[in-house]
Amino acid sequence: MSNHAQVPGEPTETTTSLVETATGAIQGFRPIKQIHEHLCAFHFYGYDMTRQVEAHHFCAHQNEEMRQCLIYDTPEADAKLIGLEYMISENLFLTLPDEEKPLWHSHLYEVKSGVLFMPRVPGPIERHGLDKVCKTYGKTIHFWQVDKGDNLPLGLPQLMMALTRDGQLDEELGRDVEKRFGVSFEKERAKRAELTGPTHGIHPLANGGGKGLIPKLREVDCKPADSVPRVFV
């Protein structure tokens, strides 16, 4: 479980809550209402597998071959929005430029091993959904380093990766999730033996191409304002 540091700031005022109630009744929030799926899994920093975090994905489909997910550190009402993940089909992944492919990770091991699951979803329904996830690739960026105890989203956005083989998951983290959600990764693994991954296998350039990846910030010349086209209405 992530270090659930208290976010600094004054408590929400009554007037703010009243305004939120009013806007909540008036506005549509259609993008958010498209969320239909909650996946729990684990991510690690693309350059440091020892830094692993519990990741709760709340996902909506753009179409049959792409879904987009908001990632929170817990499924609770006070959860922190720590990142985003885009999931695409093998067909779409294969259209990506080779320099882009290492930024994406496979989901085959996560699903087959049982460590990626849908909390509280009945087995047959879950397996139908996971059969599709098993064949996808994901690109994940985290903005909030909750594993460090940061109480605000500090530093650069971080490229995250997913587990790809046995022995990688932090045992204590795994046991904690199993206990809190009443699941057994080993039992789920046995139930998912028949699930299959991408038709062409895991692409060799995926999952960082087998290497660690870390984002770097560098200074560049900023284009002067005069070079930006202006539009007058």
Side-chain angles (χ1 to χ4, degrees):
M1 189 174 184
S2 67
N3 185 333
H4 207 65
Q6 186 69 33
V7 177
E10 295 297 319
T12 303
E13 297 179 355
T14 301
T15 52
T16 301
S17 297
L18 290 173
V19 170
E20 290 176 346
T21 299
T23 56
I26 296 169
Q27 296 181 307
F29 306 107
R30 284 182 288 181
I32 304 301
K33 288 184 177 179
Q34 299 308 305
I35 291 175
H36 63 278
E37 188 175 73
H38 172 200
L39 305 172
C40 179
F42 304 93
H43 291 154
F44 66 85
Y45 290 76
Y47 59 92
D48 188 352
M49 193 176 293
T50 68
R51 294 181 61 190
Q52 300 182 8
V53 296
E54 178 181 335
H56 292 269
H57 307 56
F58 291 86
C59 306
H61 276 87
Q62 282 285 296
N63 55 45
E64 189 63 27
E65 295 196 64
M66 182 187 181
R67 69 187 79 188
Q68 52 191 12
C69 308
L70 300 175
I71 301 177
Y72 292 85
D73 62 335
T74 80
E76 306 305 325
D78 64 346
K80 298 178 178 71
L81 176 62
I82 61 174
L84 302 169
E85 178 164 355
Y86 300 101
M87 297 184 185
I88 59 175
S89 67
E90 179 185 25
N91 289 337
L92 292 181
F93 177 82
L94 293 175
T95 69
L96 299 176
D98 282 354
E99 62 268 23
E100 171 71 18
K101 289 184 175 75
L103 306 180
W104 296 73
H105 59 262
S106 58
H107 292 124
L108 176 61
Y109 173 80
E110 287 186 290
V111 174
K112 294 270 290 182
S113 67
V115 302
L116 187 156
F117 62 97
M118 297 181 182
R120 297 180 297 279
V121 174
I125 297 175
E126 180 187 44
R127 281 192 291 278
H128 177 76
L130 294 182
D131 181 50
K132 294 185 177 182
V133 175
C134 206
K135 299 171 173 59
T136 62
Y137 290 88
K139 183 178 185 179
T140 302
I141 304 294
H142 281 199
F143 306 100
W144 201 327
Q145 299 185 50
V146 291
D147 65 302
K148 292 171 59 178
D150 290 351
N151 57 11
L152 287 172
L154 307 177
L156 295 179
Q158 299 291 313
L159 179 69
M160 308 298 283
M161 290 292 170
L163 306 171
T164 57
R165 62 179 182 271
D166 290 345
Q168 293 179 337
L169 176 62
D170 180 279
E171 293 184 2
E172 183 178 353
L173 179 62
R175 285 194 298 268
D176 180 57
V177 168
E178 287 181 299
K179 180 179 179 180
R180 283 187 288 113
F181 290 92
V183 298
S184 166
F185 297 153
E186 283 305 312
K187 289 182 180 178
E188 288 302 315
R189 180 196 292 260
K191 295 176 183 177
R192 302 175 187 183
E194 76 285 355
L195 297 183
T196 58
T199 301
H200 298 92
I202 303 301
H203 197 284
L205 291 179
N207 302 305
K211 300 178 180 179
L213 297 175
I214 185 171
K216 293 288 187 180
L217 185 68
R218 63 186 180 92
E219 291 186 358
V220 297
D221 291 333
C222 184
K223 293 182 179 180
D226 288 344
S227 69
V228 180
R230 297 179 180 179
V231 178
F232 296 93
V233 178

